[in-house]
Structures are given as C-alpha cells and as structure tokens.
Amino acid sequence: MTREIRLRYAPSPTGHLHIGGARTALFNYLYARRLGGKFIVRIEDTDQTRNVENAAESQMENLKWLGVEWDEGDDIGGPYGPYRCMDRLDIYHQYMNQLLEEGKAYYCYATKDELDTEREEQIARGETPRIDEKHRHATPEQKEAFEKEGRKPSVHFIVPEDRSYTVHDLIRGEVTFETKEMGGDFVICRPDGIPTYNFAVVIDDYLMKISHVVRGEEHLSNTPRQLMIYEAFGWEVPEFAHLALILNQDGKKMSKRDESIIQFIEQYREMGYLPEAIVNFLVLLGWSPGGEQEIFTLSELEKLFSFDRVNKSPAVFDSTKMNWMNNHYLKSRPVDEIMEMCIPPLKEADFLEAELTPERKEWVKQLVALYQEQMSYCAQIVPLSALFFLEEVAYEEDAKAVLKEPQVKEVLTSFRQHLNASAEYTVEAISAALKATQKETGCKGKALFMPVRVAITGQAHGRDLGQTIFLIGQEKVAKRLEQVIKSL
Ligand code: GLU
C-alpha cells in the first residue's frame, strides 16, 4: 500500500520564527504540495523551561504571512489532534506504559544530582559519558525504598546492545550510528511526567501518519534513538530528510546571537521586506533548480521542489543577495502598495504626522516613487528621504567640494531668480528655470546641475533633479538657496 503523503513542521515555541525554521517549514510545505499531500503544523512544547509565551502563535502568524499555509494544525485542528504536545500527555503515557510493561523501558530513580556527578566522574576518567543503567535491574524492594524517600522516577528506554541503526536520509544517503557510542539508556519521560522530545516526536509522527520527517541537521543524531522507539513498537519508519546548516558570511554556523545576520522573519517584515522575496531567498538556501533561473513564485515552487536537488553541504546566508531579491520584488509592485509599507517607518522617524491628508499622501506617493527602484527594503526610505523632511541639510564632503567651484555663485543666483519669477511651483517650472539659468550663465551639464543639487539637497548624487526640487517644496528650497548663496 502506498503511503499517504503527510509532512509536518514541528516548532518548539522558544521564540519568533527564525530563518532556519522558516526554511524547514517551507521545504515541508513545498514537498507536501508538490506531491499533493498534507502539511501539518504541530507545536512541540515539552521543554517547558524554554517555552516563550505567544511564540507558537507568533510563529504561525509569520508563516501565514509568508504564504505557507497548513491543512491541519494547532490553530485549525484536524483529524489527528490535538496538535500541541502538552495537550497530548495522556497519549504519551499510554504508549510509555506499554513499553514499561513489555520490559523495553524502566523507572530510574537516580536524581539529577546523582546523574550529573556520575557524568562528571566518567568524563574525569576519560570515558565517554554513559547514563547510569543500574536502575534497570533495581529490585522491587529497592524501588519501594526510593519511593519512600520521596524520589520521583524518570523513565529510561533500554538501548539495544551492540547494534547499529541506519538512517536512510533523502539528502545525505545512509548514515549509521552504533549503539555503544550513544550514551546508554536514554530518558523518555521526566520525573514530572512530561515526555522528552525523542519520545513524543515518534508517538506524534506515528499517530499523525507522517510520511516524511524533514528537519534541521541538528536532529540527525536524535534519529537513531527515534528509530529504536519505532522498532520497539513495531511501527513503520517515515522517510527522513535532514537539512544542512545555514552559515553566516564568515562561513561560521549561524547562532541565534549572531548580529551579522537579521535572523527573525518578524524583523524582515518590520523592515519592509516582501514575503515573496523572503520565500524566494529561503528556498535557494540549500535547494537549486539546476539552471539559471533564480526568481520563483510560491506556486512555481510548489510544482518544482524536490529533495534530489537539496544540497548536502551547508548554505551560506548572503544578505546582499537577500537585498537584491527584495529590491527585485519591490520594483515590480504598484507604488501605492510600497507607499503603505513606507508610511510606518516614516512615522516612526517622526517625518510624517499621524493623520495624513489626501494631498500629503499624494506627496508621499511621489516621494516613494522616486526611491522605489533603489530601495532594498522599505525602511530605507527614512535615510534616503531625510533631506525632504529636515529643516537643515548636512553637506557631505564631496558636496562641499562642488560648492567651491568658481561658477557656483552665479549659477545659484541666476537659478533662484528664475525660480522666483515663475508663476507656479511645478516640475515644469523648475525645469524651465534650469534652462533659463543655462542660457544666462552659459553653464551646462554638471557645471549647472551639480551646484543646484548640492545647494538644495546637501548631496552630490541623487534621483531626478526636477522632481527632487519639486518635492522638497518651495519654502525649503528658497531657504537652502539663500543660505548657500550667502555663505559663498
Ligand atoms: N521541535 C524541534 C525544533 O524546533 C523540531 C523537531 C523535529 O522536527 O522533529 O527544532
């Protein structure tokens, strides 16, 4: 019988949606869609010391924003729920009791301190740490004595001796682990009755009929332990695919504290990246379609994605490429949409008032249109357009050099005069004033435009000059020209 295709993303709610997590979710989602299967989001919250309030909700919200939607999950339910580990404790206990009854697991009464001390001693003796297995053989009397002392047992799984377990991985091929190197009988349930990840994940993947387990490489070494649990129950094992690490630009493993990379989807969203660009960038972190094409929509990817084109070696996170990708998508969007994304950072910078009149909005739209081609992300509108908002402009070094040229005073005086003489303040009138200045002074090209640009914007380079002067506004332009002319 062929298996139904069912994949899952199983985040631990320890924080916002991270780049690595988003990529894992995306690969699962794409493969499920490609094969016409189901995609499930399950919350793995058994490590309560690391849980962060609302992290699961925030992760799900950000996934939806990326366009990654699921068929079953903690928020929408489904036929195999609940989809949150802490709501499944009864289920885990039932299966754990089965292992205890069959002699495949046992109660261990060693306290955490005892286990830690033993571990330290083993390390000091130069041995590979191995969990204390003597409780495996504790007599009923010994157990009773421990209970009387008030000790609460954990449950340990009996690791078969001298065996090897091979993970058949869709990306890495066969990876074999020897049980003698695996540190002994491992904990499947803590004294507080909460199962460990390695146990819960197997029960959940089995009961939710998961056909493919796709997750980060850091879980590869957990997989042999999970295989032992599948074996103990006599269950069919899913397919596995472990995704290689994401490295930073220095080639180092990206850590959550690494400041060289913006790591959370939430942050990209706030900075004005588009979800399509992030998805496109993320999918290329380890997958390549084989060919020159680099721009893919989500629906194209849903038809193309496969694990034979996922790389075994780590992917490097290249922020420049991310910015290039986002710029590509930003440019193709209607300016109204980009304007809406630029307004919050402009308000945040106190450049815009809380309520915008229709005229003011029209002005913002023209401002955004001026920079849309150039922006990597929408928050860049703030530094790019500061000269439109500030009363005083700061003159950059190369701009100051321009103002030292001999023709500057004549050009600026003439331009001011022609501008003042125009009946209205429009892009056409500004352009006519520039032409009249050229005629009067005999200066043209750079000799004409540079002094005007520098005097009014403080910068030697920028966007379309006429439109820039128009959007800065008559009053500010007059003031800046006046100040510069006076200083010459
Ligand atoms: N909860 C795990 C994590 O957030 C995922 C484990 C798995 O996919 O099996 O890393």
Side-chain angles (χ1 to χ4, degrees):
M1 201 184 76
T2 50
R3 241 178 165 176
E4 203 191 335
I5 302 296
R6 293 174 55 82
L7 288 93
R8 79 332 185 251
Y9 172 56
S12 300
T14 53
H16 286 306
L17 182 63
H18 187 258
I19 295 163
R23 179 189 64 165
T24 302
L26 178 64
F27 282 19
N28 274 286
Y29 165 86
L30 290 175
Y31 199 62
R33 289 291 172 267
R34 162 91 197 281
L35 298 183
K38 295 271 192 291
F39 175 55
I40 293 129
V41 171
R42 178 176 77 220
I43 307 301
E44 290 191 338
D45 56 350
T46 54
D47 188 351
Q48 292 195 300
T49 55
R50 298 181 61 222
N51 288 349
V52 171
E53 210 184 341
N54 292 328
E57 289 67 26
S58 153
Q59 291 218 20
M60 290 191 277
E61 214 265 311
N62 279 295
L63 279 177
K64 280 191 196 141
W65 178 73
L66 288 175
V68 173
E69 302 267 354
W70 46 99
D71 308 294
E72 298 164 29
D74 181 54
D75 56 340
I76 52 171
Y80 303 98
Y83 293 89
R84 193 180 275 254
C85 294
M86 289 306 282
D87 296 337
R88 300 173 60 80
L89 294 183
D90 290 347
I91 302 175
Y92 306 129
H93 289 157
Q94 184 193 325
Y95 285 95
M96 204 169 56
N97 288 335
Q98 184 184 332
L99 292 182
L100 285 164
E101 276 160 28
E102 291 175 358
K104 293 173 179 164
Y106 60 92
Y107 287 120
C108 171
Y109 289 87
T111 61
K112 187 175 174 317
D113 281 350
E114 285 169 355
L115 291 174
D116 287 350
T117 314
E118 192 165 273
R119 189 184 153 83
E120 279 159 25
E121 285 168 5
Q122 288 167 338
I123 293 174
R125 287 199 297 271
E127 298 167 13
T128 316
R130 194 177 167 85
I131 219 154
D132 175 10
E133 287 171 3
K134 56 182 178 287
H135 289 252
R136 203 201 269 191
H137 311 289
T139 62
E141 294 73 38
Q142 285 169 319
K143 285 184 190 167
E144 210 184 298
F146 285 135
E147 298 267 352
K148 275 215 182 103
E149 272 179 43
R151 294 190 184 210
K152 291 233 173 308
S154 50
V155 178
H156 288 210
F157 181 86
I158 298 180
V159 172
E161 253 165 67
D162 283 330
R163 284 272 310 276
S164 66
Y165 285 83
T166 300
V167 183
H168 301 270
D169 192 281
L170 290 173
I171 299 167
R172 342 191 123 247
E174 300 200 335
V175 189
T176 299
F177 296 84
E178 304 292 334
T179 56
K180 60 174 173 298
E181 281 155 23
M182 286 176 55
D185 297 344
F186 59 90
V187 182
I188 57 174
C189 187
R190 301 189 191 92
D192 59 6
I194 298 175
T196 56
Y197 157 70
N198 273 323
F199 186 69
V201 72
V202 173
I203 306 300
D204 292 343
D205 285 338
Y206 169 72
L207 291 177
M208 294 179 189
K209 298 194 163 38
I210 300 302
S211 58
H212 295 71
V213 168
V214 179
R215 58 190 171 199
E217 186 181 74
E218 65 276 17
H219 289 294
L220 182 62
S221 59
N222 283 320
T223 312
R225 293 196 178 87
Q226 297 172 17
L227 290 179
M228 290 175 206
I229 300 174
Y230 280 100
E231 183 182 64
F233 285 111
W235 292 339
E236 189 186 350
V237 171
E239 302 275 359
F240 288 101
H242 288 92
L243 306 173
L245 296 175
I246 301 175
L247 304 179
N248 67 17
Q249 264 143 308
D250 301 331
K252 295 211 185 82
K253 181 173 178 257
M254 191 170 68
S255 85
K256 295 214 166 148
R257 286 177 302 275
D258 192 339
E259 284 178 12
S260 70
I261 296 177
I262 298 163
Q263 305 212 16
F264 295 98
I265 300 301
E266 183 91 8
Q267 292 170 296
Y268 286 101
R269 192 173 168 179
E270 274 169 20
M271 289 167 75
Y273 284 79
L274 289 164
E276 294 82 342
I278 299 176
V279 160
N280 197 155
F281 175 77
L282 286 177
V283 79
L284 297 176
L285 283 179
W287 175 81
S288 76
E292 295 297 298
Q293 188 180 346
E294 283 207 292
I295 300 295
F296 298 94
T297 64
L298 195 58
S299 55
E300 275 175 310
L301 292 169
E302 287 173 18
K303 296 189 192 83
L304 281 174
F305 184 81
S306 75
F307 283 105
D308 21 294
R309 302 212 64 96
V310 172
N311 228 316
K312 260 207 255 296
S313 44
V316 176
F317 189 99
D318 178 354
S319 327
T320 313
K321 182 159 181 182
M322 174 75 165
N323 283 343
W324 170 82
M325 190 76 88
N326 200 51
N327 170 266
H328 170 88
Y329 281 91
L330 278 180
K331 282 194 291 207
S332 66
R333 285 306 179 78
V335 62
D336 281 295
E337 194 186 321
I338 304 307
M339 171 185 68
E340 293 302 340
M341 291 172 70
C342 288
I343 288 176
L346 287 171
K347 284 187 178 170
E348 180 99 340
D350 268 340
F351 284 176
L352 289 180
E353 43 293 346
E355 292 298 324
L356 303 178
T357 61
E359 297 74 40
R360 183 69 159 160
K361 231 174 158 173
E362 179 52 36
W363 178 84
V364 177
K365 183 171 158 178
Q366 291 192 40
L367 181 73
V368 170
L370 204 55
Y371 290 101
Q372 188 171 354
E373 285 273 315
Q374 201 181 334
M375 284 188 292
S376 295
Y377 51 91
C378 291
Q380 280 184 335
I381 193 71
V382 172
L384 285 171
S385 70
L387 65 100
F388 292 80
F389 298 96
L390 302 176
E391 280 311 314
E392 304 279 331
V393 289
Y395 289 85
E396 292 173 359
E397 282 311 311
D398 52 350
K400 283 186 195 154
V402 170
L403 293 180
K404 294 205 174 89
E405 289 167 19
Q407 85 289 14
V408 171
K409 191 163 189 173
E410 195 193 353
V411 166
L412 293 181
T413 313
S414 166
F415 177 64
R416 179 171 62 164
Q417 200 176 16
H418 290 294
L419 200 58
N420 286 344
S422 324
E424 19 163 55
Y425 192 79
T426 57
V427 176
E428 294 72 29
I430 292 164
S431 164
L434 281 168
K435 279 210 185 87
T437 307
Q438 177 178 338
K439 222 167 167 194
E440 188 174 84
T441 62
C443 294
K444 57 180 185 203
K446 273 191 164 183
L448 169 69
F449 298 126
M450 285 293 256
V452 174
R453 179 183 290 285
V454 163
I456 296 172
T457 68
Q459 297 169 6
H461 308 278
R463 308 298 289 173
D464 180 86
L465 184 59
Q467 183 72 358
T468 302
I469 295 176
F470 172 67
L471 290 176
I472 289 174
Q474 194 164 15
E475 213 178 294
K476 279 201 183 84
V477 167
K479 200 171 135 202
R480 290 179 192 173
L481 282 172
E482 156 105 21
Q483 267 176 359
V484 176
I485 292 169
K486 248 201 210 149
S487 73
L488 292 171

